[in-house]
Amino acid sequence: MFLAHRYWFVVLVGLLIVALTACGGGNAAPTATPTPTQAAAAPTRTPRPTRPPEPTATPRPSPTVASTQSGQVALVDIGPLETYRHASGVFRIDVPNNWTLQDNSSPAELLLIWTDPTGNGAILVNIFEDSRSFTDSQLVDLLNTFLEDRFGSQPDFLYEDPRPQNDGSQLVVWSYTATAGNNIKATMLGNSFVEQRGNKISILTTLVPDEQFDTLRSQTDKIINTYAINPSAALGGGTTIGGGNTSGGGLAPIEIGQLRTYSHPSGVFRIDLPVNWTLTDNSRPGELILVWTDPTNNAAIVVDVLEDSTVYSDDQLIEKLVTFLKNSFGDQPDFFYDDPRPQSDGSILIIWGYTSTASNNVQASMLGNSFIEQRGDKVSVLTTLVPEEQFDTLKSKTDEIINTYRLDPNARVP
């Protein structure tokens, strides 16, 4: 997989970021099935709101749920709770110790998502600073806009009227229909609490499938009631892909450290990666989804491996990749993709990109290389990303990383 002349790179990181769209990675869990006229009961605690997010390199895949062989939605797995304290001191919350954290924060906003091992349950914390004092109705408007922006296109999406909480927060119960890989439909229920504490505006969201709500409610209520904000602390979050910039207004240079071989514990793949990049594992049963980001969070490497016994033609693989790119990034500004380019190793490359906006409104063209291939019953997508302006400088290193990727068709995806 060597990139001859100038191939455009980009962020597939959003790919994995179930980030508030995929059913197991950023949706909330409500207290009852919301209907336009009937409200659901609310948990005992309160969360906070977020501004409608600015366009960044964060894709929005279609929501899916994990199911069992018997055709049931997999049961959300809530392990023992452990206290998570954000490094900035802005908030703390007790979360299950077997859930995976995805940190999509930017310098101006905290955005953290925990997902359970099945990918069917999630907790989301979103906090930003605003010196203005918002009324309850204005906070609800912020929350509703956020929900509509992120979930409004999902099947059967709806939300109820707000419910004031004893601690001063406002609860909005909402839902939509998600589809498992075997076409099983599941209603996802979300409880989103919005509140203002000093100059901090926060949204806390929990999510579980509707059919599991009653079973899990005591545990989700316990989690919600541990959430606490420190209005005196300053945000110290990280950055979103394409969002790290310098004081001069340009994007921060990508930091590629010494390469070291990463071998997945299952033996399914290996790849050489910079030792200073951070791994986020969004895998779920039957599919590996791993994302590495550089210290500036302006570059990413994504490995996605799925077991599928169907034998696909090159045209079918291309169609799968194009569909994925359109669904995940098609609504991003200036989104494009080029014609497929067959590679000498049998994989197929599609070059694509879009424009991302950093927290200080700096525009950045993000360029992505996605390679799709099938080896035995493994379908794999390898994606790399850097800002276009840094492509030439980083090309030799990214080529080196791409060429170390190896897939073992005989190993099993957990």
Side-chain angles (χ1 to χ4, degrees), residues 162-216:
R163 292 176 167 262
Q165 303 295 289
N166 292 335
D167 65 354
S169 66
Q170 300 285 324
L171 165 66
V172 171
V173 178
W174 54 281
S175 69
Y176 65 84
T177 300
T179 304
N182 54 3
N183 290 322
I184 291 176
K185 304 291 186 182
T187 299
M188 301 304 297
L189 296 178
N191 279 353
S192 290
F193 301 84
V194 63
E195 63 180 313
Q196 183 169 20
R197 298 289 182 260
N199 70 342
K200 307 292 188 296
I201 296 179
S202 157
I203 291 175
L204 171 64
T205 298
T206 59
L207 123 88
V208 294
D210 179 22
E211 65 183 35
Q212 298 178 32
F213 181 84
D214 290 338
T215 304
L216 300 171

Side-chain angles (χ1 to χ4, degrees), residues 58-75:
T58 299
R60 302 178 184 178
S62 300
T64 59
V65 291
S67 58
T68 63
Q69 291 183 346
S70 62
Q72 301 296 314
V73 175
L75 183 64

Side-chain angles (χ1 to χ4, degrees), residues 36-55:
T37 57
Q38 174 188 356
T44 47
R45 232 243 147 236
T46 311
R48 307 88 226 253
T50 49
R51 302 164 295 180
E54 299 171 351

